């Protein structure tokens, strides 16, 4: 996946030409073309297609071959549509909020902010998560944590930074400074937007989709220490270039777990993310490398 993205972003002249020509094409023509492109790659990417479908089969138990094929096609389409949206169509975001986003439950976030203690939004990498953070940043004081050191996807982050989206780079910010900054954001009654399905070997050990892995603990730690509920949030591409954004009922971890029970709280939030991924399975970004996040012991047991 990153190799595909790099072919577009790493060549500055190619990227400039793509942005120039793409901006001249009517959006109504771009969508069917991108769907056809995704379908073509799905059909021709033999090993890549099999790899994605195998990851889906492993995590989405009970799905028929037909359902997996449908989700696989949606996934490949979603990748190319998201690249177009980010690199080309993002210039039109400010003028398209009314038709581009259908929002449900935003009053949940507003009610949380009325308490004056900030809000924690937890989301997986679904749909066009860049767009969703932009939407929130235009309406609320927002801060997120990203991993922007990969050369191929760094242009995406820089583009949205220019559009007014603030973020801390996980790979560049010392952990203590990061938590201090996030706590300060909440103290100012701001929104902390956290993508909870990142993987790093140094993250706390947990379980995701029934497999041992390591996931961020920031949302759970902030909630337990600051007595702030976590609001599960998800977005996905509903039709064409329209997206649905949904704020779900807040989770009061500090009423459910002791501060020492961080592992249990993280696992609880992981189960919430599983539900969100299963609600729009064809648009989860990490199908192309999901197997890389499972602990070696788990991978070994599956191989046996």
């Amino acid at each position: 996946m990153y190799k595909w993205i790099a072919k577009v972003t790493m060549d500055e002249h190619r990227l400039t030409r793509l942005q120039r020509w793409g901006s001249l094409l009517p959006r109504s023509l771009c969508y069917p073309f991108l769907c056809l492109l995704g379908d073509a790659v799905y059909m021709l990417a033999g090993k890549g297609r099999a790899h994605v479908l195998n990851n889906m089969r492993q995590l989405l138990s009970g799905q028929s071959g037909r359902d997996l094929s449908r989700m696989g096609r949606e996934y490949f389409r979603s990748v190319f549509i998201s690249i177009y949206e980010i690199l080309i169509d993002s210039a039109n975001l400010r003028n398209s909020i009314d038709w581009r986003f259908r929002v449900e439950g935003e009053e949940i976030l507003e009610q949380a902010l009325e308490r004056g203690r900030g809000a924690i939004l937890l989301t997986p990498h679904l749909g066009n998560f860049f767009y969703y953070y932009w939407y929130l940043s235009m309406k609320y004081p927002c801060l997120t944590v990203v991993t922007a050191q990969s050369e191929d996807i760094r242009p995406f982050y820089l583009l949205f930074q220019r559009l007014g989206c603030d973020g801390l780079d996980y790979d560049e910010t010392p952990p203590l400074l990061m938590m201090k900054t996030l706590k300060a954001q909440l103290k100012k009654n701001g929104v902390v937007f956290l993508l909870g399905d990142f993987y790093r070997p140094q993250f706390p050990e947990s379980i995701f989709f029934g497999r041992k892995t390591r996931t961020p603990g920031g949302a759970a730690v902030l909630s337990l220490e600051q007595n702030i509920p976590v609001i599960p949030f998800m977005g996905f591409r509903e039709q064409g270039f329209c997206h649905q954004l949904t704020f779900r009922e807040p989770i009061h971890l500090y009423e459910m777990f002791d501060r020492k029970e961080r592992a249990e709280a993280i696992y609880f939030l992981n189960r919430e993310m599983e539900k969100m991924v299963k609600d729009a399975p064809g648009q989860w970004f990490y199908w192309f490398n999901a197997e890389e996040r499972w602990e070696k012991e788990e991978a070994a047991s599956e191989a046996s």
Side-chain angles (χ1 to χ4, degrees):
M1 184 64 63
Y2 289 123
K3 291 180 180 178
W4 294 355
I5 295 173
K7 288 181 180 179
V8 177
T9 61
M10 297 298 288
D11 187 322
E12 186 174 344
H13 296 294
R14 179 184 297 167
L15 177 57
T16 301
R17 289 197 303 270
L18 177 66
Q19 290 173 324
R20 183 172 63 249
W21 287 106
S23 63
L24 296 176
L25 293 174
R27 194 182 289 114
S28 59
L29 294 179
C30 289
Y31 182 74
F33 170 75
L34 293 166
C35 288
L36 288 173
L37 179 60
D39 287 345
V41 174
Y42 173 81
M43 295 301 295
L44 296 173
K47 289 184 178 180
R49 179 183 68 246
H51 189 74
V52 166
L53 293 179
N54 184 60
N55 278 334
M56 288 182 170
R57 188 178 298 109
Q58 293 289 331
L59 302 188
L60 304 174
S61 58
Q63 298 291 334
S64 67
R66 189 172 185 175
D67 287 338
L68 289 172
S69 179
R70 174 182 53 79
M71 290 186 290
R73 285 179 181 274
E74 182 182 359
Y75 175 71
F76 279 81
R77 287 182 175 187
S78 181
V79 169
F80 289 103
I81 294 170
S82 293
I83 291 175
Y84 165 81
E85 286 179 327
I86 294 169
L87 295 181
I88 297 172
D89 207 24
S90 58
N92 303 309
L93 273 172
R94 292 183 184 274
N95 300 320
S96 62
I97 292 180
D98 291 341
W99 65 261
R100 195 183 296 270
F101 300 108
R102 187 168 72 88
V103 186
E104 294 182 354
E106 190 167 356
E107 67 276 4
I108 292 173
L109 173 58
E110 294 169 350
Q111 290 167 4
L113 293 176
E114 287 175 0
R115 299 171 65 233
R117 304 179 65 181
I120 303 168
L121 295 182
L122 178 72
T123 186
H125 286 74
L126 272 179
N128 189 335
F129 42 90
F130 284 94
Y131 269 24
Y132 312 149
Y133 185 57
W134 176 88
Y135 171 87
L136 291 164
S137 295
M138 293 304 100
K139 302 186 69 175
Y140 310 96
C142 286
L143 186 61
T144 190
V145 178
V146 301
T147 55
Q149 294 308 299
S150 176
E151 290 294 327
D152 36 24
I153 61 174
R154 186 171 178 79
F156 292 174
Y157 292 109
L158 295 177
L159 188 155
F160 275 82
Q161 188 178 59
R162 292 193 293 270
L163 289 175
C165 299
D166 292 329
L168 298 171
D169 190 334
Y170 175 83
D171 297 308
E172 288 291 315
T173 309
L176 290 178
L177 176 59
M178 181 178 299
M179 289 303 295
K180 182 179 179 180
T181 305
L182 294 175
K183 289 178 181 179
Q185 174 75 0
L186 293 170
K187 187 173 292 187
K188 293 185 295 185
N189 201 32
V191 175
V192 170
F193 180 86
L194 297 178
L195 293 138
D197 55 348
F198 276 117
Y199 171 83
R200 286 289 188 278
Q202 61 268 36
F203 283 162
E205 185 176 288
S206 191
I207 297 175
F208 192 39
F209 281 102
R211 288 160 167 75
K212 290 182 181 179
T213 185
R214 293 181 178 272
T215 51
V221 171
L222 288 170
S223 178
L224 292 173
E225 292 186 357
Q226 306 297 309
N227 287 1
I228 298 174
V230 176
I231 302 173
F233 168 84
M234 69 171 289
F236 65 94
R237 189 173 294 100
E238 193 173 37
Q239 185 177 9
F241 296 111
C242 300
H243 297 257
Q244 178 173 321
L245 311 184
T246 303
F247 299 81
R248 299 189 172 184
E249 289 300 317
I251 300 170
H252 302 268
L253 290 177
Y254 48 90
E255 296 179 355
M256 304 163 61
F257 302 100
D258 186 86
R259 288 191 179 188
K260 296 180 181 180
E261 298 177 306
R262 291 182 178 181
E264 291 82 357
I266 294 170
Y267 177 38
F268 187 92
L269 294 181
N270 284 353
R271 292 202 300 271
E272 292 300 311
M273 285 195 297
E274 288 178 27
K275 295 175 185 176
M276 290 189 277
V277 171
K278 290 177 179 179
D279 282 344
Q283 296 185 38
W284 189 46
F285 179 70
Y286 286 121
W287 287 123
F288 78 101
N289 70 344
E291 79 289 345
E292 295 178 5
R293 62 188 57 233
W294 315 133
E295 294 290 271
K296 291 182 179 180
E297 303 93 299
E298 184 74 24
S301 65
E302 285 188 4
S304 61

